[in-house]
Each structure stands twice: as structure tokens, then as C-alpha cells.
């Protein structure tokens, strides 16, 4: 039975899924007074989210208008967290969005990102937009979210789930990402494979995202503490999580064409993640077969980090 205390519902909630969406949702619920248990198949350090580059920008996510609103809510939080980068993994970093002009961003971002300007020829060889955006180190941010959840009274349980009805709470929040394809089941969820190369940083301090106007191929490098992340790929409906050496070589070659010093950087690791894509994010309330409340929060594709806090706030509202 759920009770109300000082305007906050305090009934128990099980959040299924331990990536950035599940963790952030669990934190918001716990800090609003709910008793939260987070169920995750893998430790947070081994979820798909840890592979994410971590740059705040609504990349390949629908519906666009809602995604922009969720992104701006998240931006509010990240700007605050960036005051403590060593603790939270969040910092504000400058860089270039290639093949993007000020008129292409729209009022939704321009009003909140006053430093936006056209990049100079020294900053980028093509037309681009210079921006100062949140850049999140996921290897720090995910464990920090877990500790914040525990500090708010939540618990983390490592367990696999074969159906959502297994969650033994009055309210269940489904943040299972790609696993929702089988758990819901929802065949609209599909993988978009992303591969990264992690190298020693040869001294690069700004990030860059560049899109080939002909092939649509995206190239980027993102400086994170102690390393530089090189990307990337976006292969629809590809399930393999094994790094492809030929793809890795191509990523390094494309990045080095933009910054030659990358060519000689020592490779530290190869990473592959499967983005949980869907034609539109599913963020809505429903019911389990026995009538208990179910909230879906999945299908964020490559923008989970970008919209995490905005979606978590909406999921918490739907759960109450």
C-alpha cells in the first residue's frame, strides 16, 4: 500500500535496468522519498552506458521536440554537477559540432547556450559550430550515480530478469534499454552498434564531432581524463559486440585526418556498445498483468546521457 507523507508518495519502487537511464531514474525517485530497489543484470561498470562517449547533445533520438525538452532539463543538472568534475565525472568542455551552423541549432538550444558561434578556420576546416557543452566521463559518473542512490536510501541488486512481473513492488519502472525487446516484448527496439577506440591523449583538449555529408559517417574525438575516445560507428541492427580491427583502423585514420597527432597515439582499448534505438522513446505509464503500475522509460538510442535527467523526472512523475 502506498502512503503519502508531506506530499510525497513513499511506496516501494523497483527500477529494472542499471544503465544511465535506470540509475538516474532511481536517484530521482529515491530523492523524492520513494523506497527504491534497482535491479541490474550487470554491475554499472559493465553496462552499455559505460561505453558512451558522454557528450551532451540530442543525437539520433525521437520525438525531437520532447527530446530537446528532456535534454534542457538534463543540461540544468549537468551544469550544476560540472562544479565538481572529479567527483561527478561531469565537466563543461569546448569543441566543434562540424557541418552545423548557428541557424541550424534552433532557439531551443541557442537560448541556453549563449557561447554558440561559428567556428574559425583554425578550429575546424569546414563549417562548424563552436560550443561549450557537458562532457561526461561515464567511468566516473555511473559509480557516482550508484553512490548517490545508496545515499538516498536506495539499494542495488544484481539479478537477471526474465519478465517484468518478477519485480515485487507496487510500482515497476522499466529502464532495460535493448533488453526491452524481449522483456516487454517490444520488437521496435533494435541495436545500433557503436565502436570506439581509446588512445593515449596526445594533448588534445577540445572535442570535435564531424559528419561526412556524402556517406553520413560520423567521426569524433572526445578528451576524457587520462585518455582520448575516438569514434565512431552507427550500424543499424548489428548485434556483434566484438571490436572489428578494420573498423578500428578506419576510425583512427578518420580522426587523424582531422588532428594528425592522433595517428601516433598508443591504443589503450577497443570498445563496442549497442545503442537501444527505437523510432520514438517509450516514456509512458501502463500496467502489469496483475494490475500493478508499470512505467516504461527506454529506447533513447545514442542520447541516453543527454536526456537522462529529463526522462527520469518524467518517469518519476508517471510513477506517482
Amino acid at each position: 500500500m502506498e502512503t503519502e507523507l508531506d506530499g510525497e508518495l513513499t511506496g516501494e519502487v523497483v527500477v529494472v535496468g542499471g544503465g544511465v537511464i535506470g540509475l538516474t531514474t532511481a536517484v530521482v525517485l529515491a530523492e523524492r522519498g520513494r523506497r527504491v530497489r534497482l535491479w541490474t543484470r550487470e554491475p554499472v561498470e559493465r553496462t552499455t552506458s559505460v561505453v558512451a562517449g558522454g557528450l551532451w547533445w540530442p543525437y539520433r533520438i525521437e520525438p525531437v521536440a520532447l527530446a530537446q525538452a528532456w535534454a534542457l532539463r538534463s543540461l540544468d543538472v549537468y551544469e550544476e554537477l560540472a562544479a565538481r568534475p572529479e567527483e561527478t565525472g561531469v565537466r563543461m568542455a569546448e569543441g566543434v559540432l562540424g557541418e552545423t551552423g548557428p541557424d541550424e541549432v534552433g532557439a531551443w538550444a541557442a537560448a541556453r547556450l549563449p557561447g554558440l558561434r561559428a567556428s574559425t578556420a583554425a578550429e575546424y576546416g569546414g563549417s562548424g559550430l563552436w560550443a561549450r557543452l557537458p562532457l561526461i566521463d561515464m567511468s566516473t559518473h555511473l559509480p557516482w550515480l550508484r553512490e548517490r542512490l545508496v545515499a538516498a536510501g536506495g539499494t542495488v541488486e544484481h539479478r537477471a530478469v526474465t519478465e517484468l512481473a518478477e519485480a515485487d513492488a507496487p510500482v515497476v519502472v522499466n529502464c532495460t534499454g535493448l533488453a526491452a525487446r524481449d522483456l516487454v516484448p517490444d520488437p521496435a527496439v533494435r541495436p545500433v552498434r557503436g565502436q570506439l577506440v581509446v588512445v593515449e591523449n596526445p594533448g588534445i583538449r577540445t572535442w570535435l564531432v564531424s559528419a561526412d555529408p556524402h556517406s553520413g559517417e560520423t567521426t569524433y574525438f572526445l578528451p576524457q581524463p587520462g585518455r582520448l575516445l575516438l569514434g565512431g560507428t552507427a550500424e543499424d541492427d548489428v548485434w556483434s559486440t566484438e571490436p572489428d580491427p578494420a573498423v578500428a583502423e578506419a576510425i583512427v585514420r578518420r580522426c587523424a585526418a582531422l588532428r594528425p597527432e592522433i595517428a601516433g597515439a598508443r591504443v589503450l582499448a577497443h570498445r563496442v556498445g549497442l545503442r537501444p534505438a527505437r523510432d520514438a522513446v517509450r516514456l509512458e505509464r501502463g500496467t502489469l498483468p496483475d494490475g500493478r503500475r508499470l512505467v516504461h522509460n527506454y529506447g533513447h538510442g545514442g542520447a541516453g546521457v543527454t536526456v537522462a535527467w529529463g526522462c527520469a523526472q518524467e518517469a518519476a512523475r508517471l510513477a506517482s
Side-chain angles (χ1 to χ4, degrees):
M1 176 70 68
E2 294 179 349
T3 60
E4 193 167 349
L5 179 63
D6 295 331
E8 293 286 349
L9 287 166
T10 57
E12 188 174 49
V13 181
V14 168
V15 176
V16 186
V20 68
I21 295 294
L23 276 168
T24 308
T25 300
V27 166
V28 170
L29 283 162
E31 292 183 348
R32 292 186 179 185
R34 305 300 290 264
R35 296 190 300 275
V36 179
R37 288 184 287 146
L38 178 73
W39 288 9
T40 178
R41 182 177 55 194
E42 301 282 355
V44 299
E45 293 86 353
R46 294 210 300 266
T47 60
T48 298
S49 294
V50 81
V51 182
L55 181 67
W56 178 93
W57 194 255
Y59 169 73
R60 292 184 62 151
I61 182 172
E62 297 280 349
V64 172
L66 283 175
Q68 291 170 348
W70 296 329
L72 289 178
R73 288 190 195 170
S74 302
L75 178 61
D76 289 337
V77 179
Y78 290 135
E79 286 178 332
E80 178 186 344
L81 298 181
R84 311 186 309 279
E86 293 82 7
E87 176 188 348
T88 67
V90 182
R91 70 187 193 281
M92 302 299 292
E94 294 181 315
V96 174
L97 293 166
E99 292 68 51
T100 305
D103 56 336
E104 298 175 66
V105 172
W108 75 272
R112 285 296 316 279
L113 300 169
L116 292 176
R117 60 169 174 78
S119 58
T120 66
E123 293 163 346
Y124 184 57
S127 63
L129 189 68
W130 184 266
R132 186 170 184 265
L133 304 178
L135 183 58
I136 296 95
D137 176 10
M138 300 305 289
S139 65
T140 297
H141 188 62
L142 293 173
W144 175 81
L145 283 172
R146 179 179 55 202
E147 296 309 310
R148 180 165 168 174
L149 170 61
V150 172
T155 60
V156 179
E157 302 175 23
H158 296 148
R159 57 190 299 168
V161 175
T162 57
E163 56 183 31
L164 294 170
E166 293 175 24
D168 53 345
V171 179
V172 178
V173 184
N174 170 26
C175 301
T176 56
L178 192 57
R181 182 180 177 92
D182 296 321
L183 282 174
V184 173
D186 183 355
V189 187
R190 65 191 192 282
V192 176
R193 182 182 184 275
Q195 181 166 331
L196 300 177
V197 181
V198 185
V199 301
E200 285 186 343
N201 192 337
I204 293 172
R205 303 183 66 177
T206 58
W207 51 265
L208 174 65
V209 179
S210 174
D212 187 309
H214 304 294
S215 67
E217 207 167 42
T218 299
T219 301
Y220 58 84
F221 50 82
L222 307 169
Q224 295 285 13
R227 64 202 188 282
L228 185 67
L229 305 185
L230 311 181
T233 63
E235 301 171 89
D236 293 333
D237 303 306
V238 177
W239 287 88
S240 173
T241 57
E242 288 298 316
D244 183 325
V247 170
E249 289 177 8
I251 288 172
V252 173
R253 185 167 57 249
R254 297 200 311 269
C255 290
L258 297 169
R259 290 291 294 264
E261 61 267 45
I262 290 175
R266 185 167 70 93
V267 174
L268 302 176
H270 297 274
R271 295 179 181 169
V272 174
L274 303 181
R275 305 178 182 98
R278 197 172 184 272
D279 291 340
V281 172
R282 189 174 187 187
L283 183 49
E284 63 187 29
R285 182 163 53 195
T287 57
L288 290 164
D290 60 5
R292 286 179 294 146
R293 186 173 302 157
L294 173 65
V295 175
H296 293 294
N297 184 13
Y298 67 87
H300 305 82
V305 179
T306 299
V307 300
W309 289 92
C311 288
Q313 292 164 10
E314 177 63 14
R317 185 188 69 79
L318 294 171
S320 65

